[in-house]
């Protein structure tokens, strides 16, 4: 996303696309091919999406997420744009869930980040969210069932890969 230039984040679109493509090329692929003949997911298509997932895995966290182009607002200082790769709980959850974990190349790194991200701000970069609660005006972060579901399911998928 080039938010400085466009004023918009593309996170929601990316999350939708990754979720759908993970389903089509993952364990629901056979059902899609059988029941939706207009969608033809070839082996080459699935391979290309797998390569995209591998290329777009955050190198430090093993998560997936939106990339932000920084310094893209047309200033004249001559600085080259910089790309910042985010680690998004929801995009990662959907990728892992619908590929049954086959897209993950570094489970220990993913688990370390999953456990560390609780205190890293607000969802989608943490398990916590800012939700408007009528009686709460102190700005504290809250835990909520939706984000905790993503966390628990990622942990469930990671469990067989955790060395004790």
């Amino acid at each position: 996303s080039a938010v400085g230039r466009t004023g918009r984040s593309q996170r929601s679109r990316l999350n939708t696309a990754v979720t759908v493509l993970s389903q089509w090329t993952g364990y629901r692929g056979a059902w899609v091919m059988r029941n939706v003949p207009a969608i033809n997911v070839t082996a080459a298509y699935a391979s290309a999406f797998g390569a995209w997932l591998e290329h777009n895995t955050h190198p430090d966290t093993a998560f997936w997420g939106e990339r932000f182009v920084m310094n893209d607002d047309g200033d004249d200082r001559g600085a080259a744009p910089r790309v910042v790769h985010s680690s998004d709980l929801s995009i990662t959850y959907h990728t892992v869930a619908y590929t049954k974990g086959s897209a993950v190349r570094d489970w220990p790194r993913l688990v370390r980040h999953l456990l560390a991200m609780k205190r890293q701000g607000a969802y989608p970069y943490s398990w916590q969210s800012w939700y408007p609660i009528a009686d709460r005006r102190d700005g504290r972060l809250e835990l909520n069932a939706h984000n905790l579901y993503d966390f628990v399911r990622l942990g469930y998928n990671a469990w067989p890969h955790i060395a004790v």
Side-chain angles (χ1 to χ4, degrees):
S1 293
V3 177
R5 185 169 31 84
T6 65
R8 284 192 312 261
S9 166
Q10 300 298 324
R11 178 188 174 271
S12 180
R13 289 184 174 119
L14 176 65
N15 198 0
T16 300
V18 169
T19 298
V20 169
L21 294 172
S22 292
Q23 289 178 359
W24 288 357
T25 60
Y27 74 95
R28 291 187 177 173
W31 183 92
V32 170
M33 295 293 287
R34 194 172 50 253
N35 294 290
V36 190
I39 298 173
N40 184 17
V41 181
T42 64
Y45 186 91
S47 178
F49 180 61
W52 184 90
L53 284 174
E54 190 157 335
H55 176 75
N56 286 285
T57 304
H58 192 293
D60 298 330
T61 67
F63 269 56
W64 288 271
E66 184 176 13
R67 291 180 182 213
F68 294 94
V69 179
M70 310 302 278
N71 191 28
D72 67 335
D73 55 3
D75 69 23
D76 57 354
R77 292 179 292 171
R82 182 173 55 99
V83 176
V84 176
H85 191 162
S86 69
S87 294
D88 187 298
L89 178 64
S90 181
I91 294 172
T92 300
Y93 161 73
H94 287 104
T95 302
V96 172
Y98 296 125
T99 65
K100 288 198 169 181
S102 67
V104 178
R105 298 290 176 255
D106 192 341
W107 280 105
R109 189 174 304 231
L110 186 144
V111 169
R112 279 193 301 275
H113 184 70
L114 180 64
L115 295 174
M117 73 186 303
K118 177 182 179 187
R119 306 248 182 258
Q120 293 184 349
Y123 180 83
Y125 311 112
S126 171
W127 321 339
Q128 302 176 92
S129 289
W130 280 292
Y131 277 100
I133 299 172
D135 295 334
R136 169 153 271 154
R137 294 197 174 98
D138 59 7
R140 287 186 16 208
L141 291 168
E142 294 287 326
L143 295 175
N144 69 69
H146 182 90
N147 301 354
L148 290 175
Y149 178 84
D150 290 358
F151 167 77
V152 169
R153 287 300 306 243
L154 281 169
Y156 174 81
N157 281 280
W159 190 255
H161 307 280
I162 298 173
V164 179

